[in-house]
Amino acid sequence: MEIKDFLEETTQATGASGYETQVASIFRRYIEGVSDEVWTDPLGNVIAVRRGPRENSPKIMLAGHMDEIGLVITRIEDGGFLRFTKIGGIDERTLLAQEVRVHGRSTLTGVIGAKPPHIQEPDERRKSVPMDKLFIDVGLEEEKVRELVSVGDIATIKRKVISLNCDTLAGKAMDDRAGVAVVLATFRELVRLKSQVTVYGVATVQEEVGTRGAQTSTYGIDPDIGIGIDVTFADRDDLVEERAKLGKGPVIAIGPQVHPKVYQRMVETARKRGIDYQIDPSPHPFGTDTAPIQVARSGVASILVSIPLRYMHTSVETLKLRDIEAAGRLLAEFISSIDAEFVEGLSCF
Amino acid sequence: MKEILTKLTRLYGPSGHEEFVRDAIKEMVEPHCDEVIVDPLGNLIAHKKGSGPKLMLAAHMDEIGVMVTDIDKEGFLRFTKVGGVSPHQLLGQRVVFKNGTFGVFGHEKLDDIKDLKFEKMFIDIGATSREEAEEKVSLGDVAVFDRDLVEAGDRWIAKGLDDRAGCAVLIKVLQELSSSPNDIYAVFTVQEEVGTRGAKTSAYSIEPDLGLAVDVTLVGDTPKAPTNAVALGKGPTIKVKDALVLAHPQVKESLVEVAKSHGIPYQFEILDNGGTDAGPIHLTKSGVKSGGVSIPCRYVHSPTEMVSKTDMDNAVKLLKAYLTSVQV
């Protein structure tokens, strides 16, 4: 149940890109018991380490990002209404009528209001409302708003996790607290496994604005193998390409950003251990932490493992817990199978 | 300030050709620094030694321009842009090349002015043949706006205030900062307008503990402007975000604290489009806590950029106070 608790707690917490400290402290609390050491780097990445048997044991880095898409206040209007812009790729069409938290001098609850349908022009009814026409209403007098909120303050979507059934959860910021949950699940699995390597579990910052935390944390760690853990599009019949299915296991990517030998070992491990997995052939560069991981320093053998997710970048992102647990088992078994010889072989093409 | 700004904005210095600006700045800051060096890409790094943490400030020397891509047999030049130049900003402008050759813009017959694109435009340098043109200009040569600085009340109007205004502020800070416990690197960077390139390499070699970009920022104080709370004359801005960086909350808050305690007016900068040198600085090596102080500027990337004198003076005050008091 702990993974479910972790996911509920972190997705209900707030952590817009650049402001991830709440999520960071929850992650620290959960991971400390299964790590040799945990620290925070200058940009705020939280790095947990499980040391290998030797000083020079090979290094494997796992990265799931803590940050979520969010909003930032750009102007306080007459009447105390707040104008905003976005941090990261929020789907602007889904903002209407959302509940939000405004992180000012104190945390205020607000709603994103809209013009009632009765008084909309016929033209307006057929269109989604652009972000520059939206505003946050915190229900206070202008003077009070100005006292508590300042331009530059952050706002995030407020949303409780709901169980659609015991294993299926919907909420905001599953992208990518699910990936952070996989890091935690992997560390917990590693407790019972033998490992020849040093494992770094990184909860990264600022992925949604350009995979920034992964860039600096990978530089600092300088790993031999880097594994980005994110979410991927699942089960939509309106998507042309074949997509991953919820509940059918983690999705292993293959493409130019994935080292073929790491991919091969990952798939072999899944088969050998009887863990369900899916494959996502992707010729395009991924917009995930795997991108900066691959090109850090002199280059890192990298891979991307994803959790199937429906309705990405909305406040009802939906996933199945069993995919997270399976990903944790897969990555732990993969790590446990790696030794110095395998790592040396990565540069023999 | 007037003297510095007049001199700097008049100089030719498109991305990749910052040498005149660099030489002028070097002369102004050298007496006030322990060491001034030029790195391989041409960044000017002015170092004021201190025993404390390493603070890097960056203001870029380069400006936008246009580059010659073809010379036709009548002596007209076709061109492309260096940095964020818009075709409509060029109409009616005069530009100047490094060797002093002037050029003006013309365009092919257009059915609708909305069809104005670089491909339809040309530079006329008064030549009557390819041969005559080639005596003055070669392929790859870059021209910049030709426009002197003027004063209008509390405002300066000039080309290249982005970011010679930032350079001027940084020069003043170096000249007036008597002592600081911190180890200060003021970097006058190259090639910001083409992708914040100089800041990337200079931050790599300096490895600062804290980074600040000193640049200009957009405003929303003109008729029917896009939503932007920043206005000219209401103080320098403290960066919350731009397209390339989310300011570290500690950096933002400590700047606010310093501004408040010294009674310096300030505003917040939230820039959706457009990045600054703080972008590459904060992603250097294992990461650098970064932010920025910007000067509100109207009509950015036009030949008539406008800033407020008091905003610039207050930016100098804010940075001086910050550099002497900040703890990383």
Side-chain angles (χ1 to χ4, degrees), chain B residues 235-249:
Chain B
T237 64
I238 294 170
K239 193 181 293 294
V240 175
K241 76 176 279 270
D242 63 38
L244 297 178
V245 72
L246 292 158
H248 195 287

Side-chain angles (χ1 to χ4, degrees), chain B residues 43-120:
Chain B
N43 296 298
L44 181 76
I45 303 176
H47 187 192
K48 249 176 141 66
K49 287 183 184 163
S51 56
K54 272 191 220 172
L55 271 46
M56 170 172 169
L57 296 95
H60 66 90
M61 299 186 286
D62 62 316
E63 67 189 299
I64 55 175
V66 288
M67 180 187 277
V68 179
T69 54
D70 184 65
I71 303 173
D72 73 13
K73 62 180 191 303
E74 274 84 37
F76 293 105
L77 319 178
R78 297 291 175 155
F79 63 93
T80 187
K81 61 180 177 173
V82 177
V85 179
S86 310
H88 68 273
Q89 298 279 18
L90 299 177
L91 287 180
Q93 291 309 322
R94 192 167 73 197
V95 289
V96 61
F97 288 88
K98 194 189 241 170
N99 63 5
T101 302
F102 290 108
V104 295
F105 292 91
H107 59 79
E108 299 170 9
K109 177 178 171 296
L110 300 171
D111 293 329
D112 186 338
I113 192 66
K114 283 183 183 162
D115 297 333
L116 187 72
K117 293 198 175 77
F118 291 125
E119 301 92 87
K120 303 275 185 197

Side-chain angles (χ1 to χ4, degrees), chain B residues 14-33:
Chain B
S15 309
H17 300 273
E18 298 87 353
E19 56 270 31
F20 298 144
V21 184
R22 181 168 57 237
D23 292 347
I25 295 176
K26 194 171 180 209
E27 202 181 299
M28 295 179 202
V29 300
E30 213 156 27
H32 308 278
C33 295

